[in-house]
Amino acid sequence: MSNIPETGRTRRVTIRLVVLQILVLSLLATLGGRLWYLQIRNGSEYTAKASNNHIREVVDPSVRGEILDANGKVLAGNQTKLVVSVSRTSLLQQKDHGRAALTRLAQVLGMNPKDVQDKVRLCDAKTAQPCWNGSPYQPIPVTDQATTQQAMQIMERREDFPGITAQPTAVRQYPAPDGANAAQVLGYLSPVTDDEVSKTADRTGKDKYLPSDQIGRAGLESVYDGDLRGTTGVDRLEVDNLGRVIGSAGTTPAQPGNNVVTSIDSRVQKVVEDNLVQAMNDARTQFDKETNKNYVADSGAAIVMDVHTGRIVAMASAPTYDPNLWVGGISAKDYANLTNQDSNVPLLNRAIQGQSAPGSTFKVVSTSAAVAAGYSLDGHYPCPKSMTIGGREFKNFEGEQFGDISLEKALEISCDTVFYGLSYDQWMKDGGIHPKNPADWFYKTAHQFGLGAKTGVDLPSEVTGRVPDRQWKQDFYTANKDAWCKQADGGGTDFATQIARENCVDGNVMRAGDSVNYAIGQGDTLVTPIQMARIYAALANGGTLYQPSVAKAVVTPSGQLVREIAPVVSGKLPDDQKTLQYIDQATAGVITEGTAAWKFTGAGWPQDKIQLHAKTGTAEVYGKQTTSWLTTYSKDYAVVMTISQAGTGSGGSGDAVRKIYQALYGVDDKGGIDNTKALLPTPQTELPKFNPDGTAVLKVSWSRPTPVPAQPALATDLVALEPRTSGRSRT
């Protein structure tokens, strides 16, 4: 008798069918649950996403805010130009990757086809300029110098120029009011990179970068980029499944950036720039007896600072460049000239990035240190022609000797040996090469004067300079001991090897020679011009150290105040009023009877009417000619100039600094004062006034570029396509 059921299915088959039924029911349940989740639970979300698939966003760049001088003149503005741009994405979709279209474009623009192709290639480690370092999805500008006729040819024959557009666009412009350059202060723009876009992808508003953005890369353009950039607008267009526009889904208008008002006076800036260049040219005509050739005068910097606020009235750096070179993309040749050593790297702002030994301008610090260490202002100290310390002879400048003199006289005539003696005596009190709890007054005082640290000026990439104290000596020794010992083992007899041999043994020891050289601003000491300007401004105002600043306020495009940037007190000089008055009197003597007298009172400066104070410095640099330093102040301004390889402080910089003061106060070459010719007899404290349209109410007539919309629609007539270059004057 068979065990097979009448249905013909075995038990195993039945189990399998049951399992299959369970699986089917489970899948149906899962599918049903998922449909419920998508259509009911999250239905609105996916409906919105589906709707967005038919929305295309068109970016409307904002107009970048302007950078204005203290009178409202435009230092960095905008101008409408016809910009021809290429979509790299569109090119890559063509069979020949757009080569034919680019060739036709080059013919229309009168350019070399290879130059056009190079401009639209992407930058990488192996690709030299010109190339594109922005987002590959952003339209790449080929030129901003297109004519109306060229733009019409491109836009009327779109089938021949796929992915290529010609549009009136707001382009950055640096108009140089009054002829002032200020390149290193202003900075420049360049396209945002993919990394920068991705890092800000989760942000909103001004902090978010879009692929089409240009952002500040240096100077004020960088520091105040968030204020200047504005907010990008978006036009949302409805499209059908073929990508054709069928309507609008709303528009978020672009918000123009705010303007930054600076303390720079473009008239003074021009005077400072011109006199710095003239001083360098004059130095190159002078013969250097030490090297038996003319001075090189290869670089320099000059600063005019308001002593009451720390605000920068003028800041010049040489060599310089035209910031308009960056507009529309910089060429390979221009980029090389800005960055290579042959041109001495004009991109550097030597006012805040140039470091050198300060020479005798440092002696005001050493005087304060001596007083703090207990040496009397009423005392007299020997000024022989030389001193032998640690087996080495340390000479006075040109072998001069003046017997026992006061510290005031030592500052006035810049006697090195007085400061050698004070520093050596203090070094001995601190324990010499075996110190025990050294007071280190000379190093401590330098830190109290703000040296060895950034001043905090509102410009990027400021350097700290260097105070070569005991901690620095130890750190430097640790980092270089192996290299010194290796050089010493080489057995050479040259000077560098001898120094390496000494340093290998005890390079971390503060020797007597280190201390005495330091006291006159030599040795391993490094300062920047901005640091010295702040110090001499503090001497002028009674001892207050201000944080230097360039920007005074942020205002809207219509001139309404957004925020004022108030002066910031960052410290106090360690001197009491008696010491400050003593130094004040000594530095006035430098002008009347000391090392700068031949360039000031001897050249007709009216010291009895406008009292100036100064300290000259001639810093020795191993392997180079001497660096000229001249640090000065009046009751209103501190003016500092330094020129590398230009000779003595007064000889290299004296005439130029005097002419800057002459322009500020309206002083002629014979010492007469004409207030009507004074550019700025007292520092300007008020912000400029603005007209309802946002233009500044200028005291003198001056043409300003017309404010422009960010991305106006391309017109079809020649008049609308014509770039706007005219300006309007306000008096």
Side-chain angles (χ1 to χ4, degrees):
M1 186 176 181
S2 174
N3 293 325
I4 298 176
E6 293 182 2
T7 59
R9 292 182 297 182
T10 65
R11 180 179 179 82
R12 179 179 297 178
V13 172
T14 301
I15 294 174
R16 288 179 177 178
L17 288 174
V18 171
V19 171
L20 181 60
Q21 290 172 349
I22 293 173
L23 288 174
V24 170
L25 291 173
S26 298
L27 290 173
L28 288 173
T30 301
L31 180 59
R34 183 60 176 168
L35 288 173
W36 175 85
Y37 180 82
L38 294 176
Q39 296 186 14
I40 300 176
R41 174 65 173 80
N42 279 19
S44 59
E45 175 185 345
Y46 288 96
T47 298
K49 288 186 177 180
S51 176
N52 287 339
N53 285 336
H54 294 282
I55 302 297
R56 297 292 182 268
E57 292 187 346
V58 179
V59 173
D60 180 16
S62 61
V63 176
R64 191 171 181 86
E66 297 176 328
I67 301 175
L68 309 175
D69 88 337
N71 297 305
K73 297 178 184 178
V74 179
L75 298 171
N78 304 294
Q79 182 182 27
T80 298
K81 291 188 176 182
L82 288 175
V83 176
V84 176
S85 301
V86 173
S87 169
R88 182 177 172 83
T89 302
S90 178
L91 293 182
L92 295 177
Q93 292 173 349
Q94 300 168 33
K95 290 183 179 180
D96 63 349
H97 287 180
R99 185 174 296 274
L102 292 178
T103 301
R104 288 191 291 271
L105 176 62
Q107 292 173 347
V108 170
L109 297 177
M111 298 175 64
N112 187 308
K114 184 179 183 303
D115 292 340
V116 175
Q117 291 166 7
D118 285 349
K119 282 200 169 189
V120 300
R121 62 183 179 172
L122 301 182
C123 293
D124 57 33
K126 298 181 180 179
T127 304
Q129 294 281 346
C131 58
W132 179 248
N133 66 348
S135 169
Y137 304 106
Q138 176 185 346
I140 302 172
V142 174
T143 181
D144 62 3
Q145 302 295 326
T147 65
T148 302
Q149 183 178 2
Q150 290 168 338
M152 293 295 289
Q153 289 184 60
I154 293 169
M155 299 311 293
E156 289 181 350
R157 296 161 48 200
R158 298 197 181 212
E159 69 279 2
D160 292 333
F161 301 97
I164 299 172
T165 58
Q167 288 186 299
T169 305
V171 176
R172 202 59 163 170
Q173 181 190 36
Y174 300 91
D178 299 308
N181 177 263
Q184 292 87 354
V185 175
L186 296 173
Y188 56 90
L189 306 180
S190 71
V192 67
T193 65
D194 283 347
D195 286 344
E196 288 167 330
V197 172
S198 62
K199 287 179 181 178
T200 64
D202 58 344
R203 302 183 194 172
T204 58
K206 293 182 180 180
D207 291 330
K208 181 179 179 180
Y209 293 146
L210 297 177
S212 58
D213 282 342
Q214 295 259 327
I215 61 175
R217 296 296 185 189
L220 296 172
E221 293 276 30
S222 172
V223 174
Y224 295 96
D225 185 73
D227 293 296
L228 295 165
R229 191 155 40 89
T231 304
T232 302
V234 178
D235 291 332
R236 298 174 182 85
L237 304 177
E238 292 183 1
V239 298
D240 60 17
N241 58 350
L242 296 179
R244 295 173 297 193
V245 177
I246 59 175
S248 174
T251 298
T252 301
Q255 298 296 322
N258 290 320
N259 298 336
V260 174
V261 179
T262 71
S263 54
I264 298 291
D265 186 301
S266 59
R267 302 166 303 164
V268 180
Q269 179 73 23
K270 171 65 172 173
V271 169
V272 172
E273 290 173 352
D274 287 350
N275 278 287
L276 175 60
V277 171
Q278 187 62 52
M280 294 170 67
N281 290 335
D282 290 344
R284 294 177 187 130
T285 67
Q286 303 301 311
F287 188 73
D288 178 16
K289 296 179 182 179
E290 295 295 325
T291 59
N292 290 318
K293 62 180 182 181
N294 284 8
Y295 286 106
V296 176
D298 54 354
S299 62
I303 298 172
V304 179
M305 179 183 288
D306 178 352
V307 303
H308 307 295
T309 62
R311 286 176 171 150
I312 305 299
V313 178
M315 177 182 285
S317 178
T320 189
Y321 66 95
D322 181 2
N324 289 298
L325 291 174
W326 291 92
V327 177
I330 192 167
S331 69
K333 180 180 178 181
D334 289 333
Y335 185 77
N337 287 336
L338 294 182
T339 55
N340 64 34
Q341 292 298 326
D342 292 338
S343 58
N344 213 355
V345 196
L347 282 181
L348 286 178
N349 184 350
R350 286 173 165 82
I352 65 171
Q353 295 174 292
Q355 302 181 102
S356 67
S360 293
T361 62
F362 187 78
K363 288 175 182 174
V364 295
V365 180
S366 294
T367 298
S368 298
V371 173
Y375 298 93
S376 174
L377 291 175
D378 298 323
H380 285 71
Y381 307 92
C383 179
K385 64 179 180 179
S386 66
M387 296 179 67
T388 300
I389 298 173
R392 293 181 181 175
E393 186 179 27
F394 292 84
K395 297 181 180 180
N396 216 5
F397 184 68
E398 295 183 346
E400 297 172 318
Q401 56 182 338
F402 296 92
D404 289 352
I405 60 175
S406 66
L407 286 176
E408 178 183 340
K409 191 67 175 179
L411 282 173
E412 183 182 299
I413 63 174
S414 204
C415 176
D416 289 341
T417 50
V418 165
F419 293 95
Y420 288 151
L422 291 171
S423 181
Y424 179 67
D425 186 59
Q426 185 59 39
W427 177 79
M428 291 294 291
K429 290 179 179 178
D430 283 339
I433 60 174
H434 301 292
K436 295 181 179 179
N437 300 317
D440 284 340
W441 285 110
F442 282 79
Y443 300 102
K444 183 185 299 182
T445 302
H447 286 295
Q448 292 172 327
F449 269 69
L451 297 179
K454 295 180 181 180
T455 65
V457 64
D458 52 346
L459 291 172
S461 305
E462 182 188 8
V463 297
T464 63
R466 181 168 67 207
V467 175
D469 53 20
R470 296 182 193 275
Q471 185 61 55
W472 177 84
K473 287 281 288 184
Q474 182 59 55
D475 293 342
F476 193 64
Y477 176 73
T478 301
N480 293 280
K481 178 182 177 181
D482 292 343
W484 285 330
C485 293
K486 182 177 180 180
Q487 183 177 355
D489 290 341
T493 58
D494 58 285
F495 178 74
T497 301
Q498 294 177 33
I499 295 298
R501 190 171 292 116
E502 292 179 8
N503 286 337
C504 175
V505 176
D506 58 358
N508 59 339
V509 174
M510 186 68 73
R511 305 187 187 99
D514 296 325
S515 290
V516 298
N517 263 328
Y518 169 78
I520 63 164
Q522 290 289 169
D524 294 309
T525 308
L526 293 177
V527 300
T528 63
I530 191 73
Q531 289 174 328
M532 299 308 288
R534 184 169 74 147
I535 286 174
Y536 279 79
L539 291 173
N541 67 34
T544 301
L545 288 166
Y546 283 97
Q547 178 176 301
S549 62
V550 180
K552 290 178 68 175
V554 177
V555 300
T556 66
S558 62
Q560 299 299 311
L561 182 66
V562 175
R563 73 177 188 277
E564 188 168 359
I565 301 170
V568 176
V569 174
S570 56
K572 286 280 189 181
L573 295 182
D575 301 317
D576 59 23
Q577 289 304 306
K578 180 180 178 181
T579 303
L580 288 173
Q581 290 171 6
Y582 188 91
I583 294 175
D584 196 64
Q585 183 173 324
T587 51
V590 174
I591 293 289
T592 57
E593 300 178 15
T595 53
W598 66 300
K599 291 295 185 181
F600 286 87
T601 52
W605 180 260
Q607 183 73 354
D608 58 331
K609 296 183 177 73
I610 304 173
Q611 190 176 73
L612 298 184
H613 306 256
K615 188 69 198 77
T616 58
T618 306
E620 296 181 2
V621 182
Y622 179 72
K624 292 186 177 183
Q625 296 167 315
T626 54
T627 296
S628 170
W629 277 94
L630 184 54
T631 48
T632 68
Y633 63 88
S634 68
K635 65 181 180 62
D636 303 298
Y637 303 104
V639 179
V640 169
M641 182 174 289
T642 180
I643 306 175
S644 170
Q645 304 196 85
T648 65
S650 56
S653 303
D655 288 334
V657 171
R658 187 191 70 249
K659 289 176 181 177
I660 292 170
Y661 278 114
Q662 286 181 224
L664 286 168
Y665 291 111
V667 178
D668 61 31
D669 290 337
K670 295 182 180 180
I673 302 174
D674 185 347
N675 291 328
T676 64
K677 295 183 179 180
L679 291 183
L680 205 63
T682 57
Q684 183 166 323
T685 57
E686 295 183 354
L687 295 175
K689 305 297 183 182
F690 294 92
N691 294 296
D693 64 353
T695 57
V697 181
L698 301 178
K699 296 178 181 178
V700 294
S701 180
W702 183 77
S703 181
R704 163 198 182 130
T706 305
V708 294
Q711 196 74 290
L714 181 66
T716 56
D717 60 283
L718 295 179
V719 175
L721 272 171
E722 193 67 36
R724 282 178 283 180
T725 56
S726 61
R728 48 186 169 174
S729 297
R730 295 290 181 182
T731 57

